[in-house]
Amino acid sequence: MRTKNTSVSQPMFALVDVNNFYVSCERTFNPSLINRPVVVLSNNDGCAVARSNEVKALGVKMGAPWFKLKDLAKQHGIVALSSNYTLYGDMSDRVMTILRNFSPHVEVYSIDECFLGLQGLGKLWPTATDMGQSIRSRIHQWTSLPVCVGFGATKTLAKLANHIAKKQPEFNGVCDLSAMSANQLNTLLSLIEVGEVWGVGRQINQQLNVAGIYTVKALCDTPTTWLRAKFGVVMERISKELQGISCLSLEEISTPRKQIISSRSFGQRVYSLTELSESVAYHISSAAEKLRRQHSVCNAIQVFIQTNPFREQDKQYSNSMTIPLPNASSDTRLLIRAALFGLRHIYRKGYAYKKAGVILTGIDPLALYQTSLLTQQGADERSARLMNALDQLNQKYGRNTVSVFSIGSKKSWSMRREIMSPCYTTSWQDVPIAYAH
DNA sequence: TCTGGGGTCCTAGGACCC
DNA sequence: TCTGGGGTCCTAGGACCC
């Protein structure tokens, strides 16, 4: 008869996470930053996207706007650096390469985080903690980056373990939840706020608090059915994962992106259609490059613009338009034309724009297959002809002539109606066929 | 004029993650 | 004066069809 080993179970997942990743990368190449308060800033040096422990201790929050921190920075000698994503990407690759030596089952979850699947590795190490310490020391030796390692029966528990390893120094950077007795575990989990659980964000945290659930322990003790009824399937999954029932599997093969976004805030405010057009064209070209790199095509693009929501004294405006393409494509020039077509329709004079961007959507392997049935060149040529026809129509009747919102809802129609003269409207697909030749 | 249900597709918006 | 950027998933609701 087989006996079930209930005393100590094997962890199935490890989560390795680099501490204060961007800051740590900068410190690797500039050791004088070690032990000093350091922040790395976002684009345009807008806000803090990474903080050293010293800065966190000063109460600086993630995403805090830099201009509000300047006094504090002067006071405490905080060093602020502009971000260098090329460097971070390179360091990330090195860490992931090292981790592949520890397990063949690897999911690169983000630039600084990695899940390892541990099936079949049980006999290699006396304990999971030994493995964790070995990971820590090797990564530190080879890249000088500090990491923490969490082990658990599910990904959610491994995440939680990682959090504990980071926050509680007595764990020395490695925490294995599956090695703990029920008592130990309960004590530990009753000290951690429920908002630290992976998947519990600000809103749900608040609602859980209202229901009297403040700690991870309390969440574990809440019936899954109640959570499901109140919060939906995502919460149900979290609940099960916390109880050791694995619902999230290791995704070792990186799937192609389903949408590709390129957007940026402007350094200054922007007023003219010309400037917006330049920005949108630039975004399309970088997004299309990404698209081709993953060997995909898209069959629609969305273009959006918005004013600065933080300037409440200004008139606000934001709008977007989705433009379906006659044929799925990754051709930059074609995509730019479609995007500028949309931009002309949503642009309104007299606003101070702060942000513009594009989203390539409708990306799927089937689209690629369908396109390849035609030749790509043939498809693109046809699309280009249709674009031309539309441009001509717009020139003839003025820029607000041809609308594409037969694809949109009634709501978006009424929203857009005010910016379009109603002299002539038709669908994107209808126009070109009638005017193509 | 009022009456039913099921299915699909699309968009918008909200929540989360890093 | 100055407030990031790139993703995912889920749900609700409308349009449209049978």
Side-chain angles (χ1 to χ4, degrees):
Chain A
M1 200 179 110
R2 281 168 59 186
T3 51
K4 209 173 156 193
N5 179 4
T6 48
S7 56
V8 175
S9 51
Q10 288 287 327
M12 293 308 293
F13 298 95
L15 177 68
V16 184
D17 185 318
V18 184
N19 306 342
N20 315 328
F21 182 55
Y22 297 169
V23 169
S24 299
C25 288
E26 297 290 347
R27 281 175 168 169
T28 310
F29 292 89
N30 183 356
S32 75
L33 297 172
I34 294 168
N35 293 326
R36 291 173 67 187
V38 179
V39 291
V40 173
L41 302 177
S42 67
N43 228 279
N44 291 328
D45 293 343
C47 55
V49 291
R51 304 151 294 155
S52 70
N53 287 341
E54 296 80 2
V55 173
K56 286 179 187 172
L58 292 172
V60 174
K61 297 267 179 278
M62 177 72 173
W66 174 235
F67 74 92
K68 283 189 182 170
L69 296 177
K70 280 190 178 156
D71 284 345
L72 192 74
K74 206 173 274 175
Q75 208 179 324
H76 294 94
I78 298 178
V79 181
L81 305 166
S82 297
S83 39
N84 179 351
Y85 292 103
T86 316
L87 170 66
Y88 312 147
D90 183 73
M91 294 299 283
S92 176
D93 289 343
R94 296 188 203 193
V95 171
M96 302 309 169
T97 304
I98 295 168
L99 289 176
R100 284 177 208 281
N101 290 314
F102 282 89
S103 168
H105 310 293
V106 166
E107 174 186 344
V108 177
Y109 177 68
S110 78
I111 193 163
D112 72 326
E113 273 179 68
C114 185
F115 284 103
L116 303 180
L118 305 179
Q119 58 275 48
L121 305 183
K123 296 198 176 79
L124 286 177
W125 304 90
T127 66
T129 305
D130 291 312
M131 178 185 181
Q133 289 300 350
S134 177
I135 290 174
R136 263 166 67 81
S137 63
R138 194 179 303 173
I139 291 181
H140 189 260
Q141 207 179 341
W142 290 8
T143 68
S144 87
L145 293 172
V147 303
C148 286
V149 189
F151 292 94
T154 66
K155 285 168 103 177
T156 304
L157 287 169
K159 271 285 245 195
L160 198 60
N162 187 282
H163 173 259
I164 294 165
K166 244 183 208 170
K167 294 286 154 120
Q168 306 196 15
E170 60 270 28
F171 281 92
N172 199 20
V174 178
C175 170
D176 179 5
L177 286 181
S178 61
M180 290 182 190
S181 71
N183 269 345
Q184 269 181 303
L185 196 62
N186 282 340
T187 314
L188 195 57
L189 297 190
S190 62
L191 294 174
I192 304 171
E193 287 176 27
V194 68
E196 301 296 344
V197 174
W198 192 31
V200 177
R202 230 184 54 232
Q203 301 292 325
I204 292 179
N205 187 15
Q206 247 175 39
Q207 292 176 54
L208 286 171
N209 288 353
V210 169
I213 300 163
Y214 294 94
T215 67
V216 181
K217 168 84 166 59
L219 183 62
C220 290
D221 293 342
T222 308
T224 304
T225 45
W226 183 83
L227 290 168
R228 159 81 216 218
K230 190 153 165 60
F231 297 101
V233 292
V234 178
M235 195 66 206
E236 179 183 29
R237 213 153 45 207
I238 292 170
S239 173
K240 285 188 171 164
E241 283 256 318
L242 280 177
Q243 290 161 27
I245 304 162
S246 184
C247 304
L248 303 166
S249 57
L250 201 71
E251 316 223 339
E252 299 178 47
I253 301 152
S254 68
T255 47
R257 298 271 80 93
K258 294 173 181 170
Q259 60 178 34
I260 295 172
I261 303 179
S262 179
S263 72
R264 204 75 51 184
S265 294
F266 300 121
Q268 306 97 29
R269 284 175 289 163
V270 158
Y271 296 87
S272 73
L273 180 61
T274 318
E275 282 173 286
L276 288 177
S277 300
E278 278 170 20
S279 154
V280 164
Y282 170 78
H283 288 310
I284 286 281
S285 69
S286 71
E289 213 172 284
K290 262 195 205 170
L291 185 68
R292 291 192 295 271
R293 218 177 300 143
Q294 68 167 38
H295 307 293
S296 295
V297 288
C298 68
N299 62 33
I301 59 182
Q302 189 183 329
V303 51
F304 64 90
I305 49 178
Q306 54 185 256
T307 51
N308 188 348
F310 293 102
R311 285 183 60 90
E312 286 169 10
Q313 67 271 40
D314 284 1
K315 277 191 302 175
Q316 295 292 321
Y317 175 69
S318 74
N319 206 349
S320 71
M321 182 174 273
T322 305
I323 300 102
L325 303 172
N327 295 107
S329 171
S330 64
D331 179 86
T332 304
R333 283 186 308 170
L334 171 75
L335 298 182
I336 286 177
R337 294 173 86 165
L340 294 185
F341 176 89
L343 178 64
R344 282 202 302 273
H345 285 85
I346 57 173
Y347 171 76
R348 294 178 81 176
K349 248 191 191 146
Y351 289 97
Y353 293 98
K354 183 60 183 167
K355 191 174 181 180
V358 300
I359 309 177
L360 308 188
T361 57
I363 299 172
D364 75 282
L366 194 63
L368 182 60
Y369 172 74
Q370 285 167 346
T371 315
S372 67
L373 291 182
L374 308 163
T375 66
Q376 182 63 44
Q377 198 192 359
D380 287 346
E381 262 172 30
R382 197 173 141 222
S383 299
R385 272 215 318 276
L386 306 186
M387 295 287 176
N388 257 326
L390 278 165
D391 282 348
Q392 282 167 23
L393 266 185
N394 276 330
Q395 275 170 24
K396 191 169 170 190
Y397 293 103
R399 74 172 176 85
N400 286 334
T401 302
V402 183
S403 87
V404 298
F405 67 84
S406 70
I407 58 160
S409 63
K410 221 173 200 168
K411 197 169 133 213
S412 62
W413 161 228
S414 59
M415 205 170 69
R416 288 167 190 154
R417 183 163 47 193
E418 48 179 312
I419 63 164
M420 286 189 266
S421 55
C423 61
Y424 182 75
T425 59
T426 183
S427 84
W428 172 249
Q429 284 91 347
D430 289 345
V431 178
I433 293 160
Y435 289 86
H437 42 139

